[in-house]
Amino acid sequence: MNAESDERTGESADGQEAELGSRAPEFIKSRRGLHLSWQVGVFVVGLAVVGAGVVMLPLPGPGWLVIFGGMAIWATEFVWAQLVLRWTKRKVTEAAQRALDPKVRRRNIILTTIGLVIVAVLLGVYVWKFGFVMPWKIDE
């Protein structure tokens, strides 16, 4: 956390961030057994969503988005997940700000252009050598 934040509540000096801790309804938090059951249920549901996201990483699907969704489910009940999500949000915001820097944008545009030129040259060599034939029909 930064120097202006309160570690206990997680609120910044301007009060934008919510309190850390369980967001379960009061009648659930007031009964220890019910609250423990609630936490187990939230953990299991979050684990299933995170597991589905991990499976989607190599397979088609929005893997990282689903993983962060599972973390958001965990963050409704667990402080450690709330802190991880805050850290992730802060890092993504910093990266977005860096990406909007004119020097970084210029560098990224140059690198993308160089990459496209390389791909175009390789494609041109392929078409020149083999003609416009699909790769599985090459006789050599």
Side-chain angles (χ1 to χ4, degrees):
M1 300 271 182
N2 57 21
E4 298 177 334
S5 67
D6 180 0
E7 289 290 332
R8 185 175 34 80
T9 62
E11 291 183 15
S12 62
D14 55 329
Q16 287 182 341
E17 295 182 10
E19 273 191 42
L20 296 175
S22 175
R23 294 190 182 106
E26 286 303 319
F27 76 92
I28 290 178
K29 285 196 258 185
S30 65
R31 294 170 179 83
R32 175 87 174 123
L34 190 57
H35 191 227
L36 186 60
S37 300
W38 178 270
Q39 286 181 324
V40 168
V42 167
F43 183 79
V44 169
V45 170
L47 185 64
V49 172
V50 168
V54 169
V55 168
M56 286 184 205
L57 287 175
L59 298 175
W64 285 110
L65 185 64
V66 173
I67 289 172
F68 289 129
M71 289 295 295
I73 291 171
W74 280 338
T76 63
E77 197 59 35
F78 302 107
V79 173
W80 60 267
Q82 293 168 358
L83 294 175
V84 168
L85 281 179
R86 285 182 184 177
W87 178 84
T88 304
K89 182 180 178 183
R90 190 171 59 246
K91 291 300 180 183
V92 167
T93 303
E94 290 171 5
Q97 289 174 348
R98 279 194 313 269
L100 293 176
D101 180 29
K103 288 181 181 179
V104 175
R105 288 185 68 206
R106 190 175 314 118
R107 183 200 65 201
N108 289 345
I109 289 171
I110 290 170
L111 289 175
T112 301
T113 303
I114 290 171
L116 289 174
V117 167
I118 290 171
V119 168
V121 166
L122 291 174
L123 185 63
V125 168
Y126 175 83
V127 170
W128 175 70
K129 185 170 183 179
F130 299 108
F132 194 69
V133 178
M134 293 297 153
W136 52 86
K137 293 187 179 182
I138 296 175
D139 296 326
E140 223 178 274

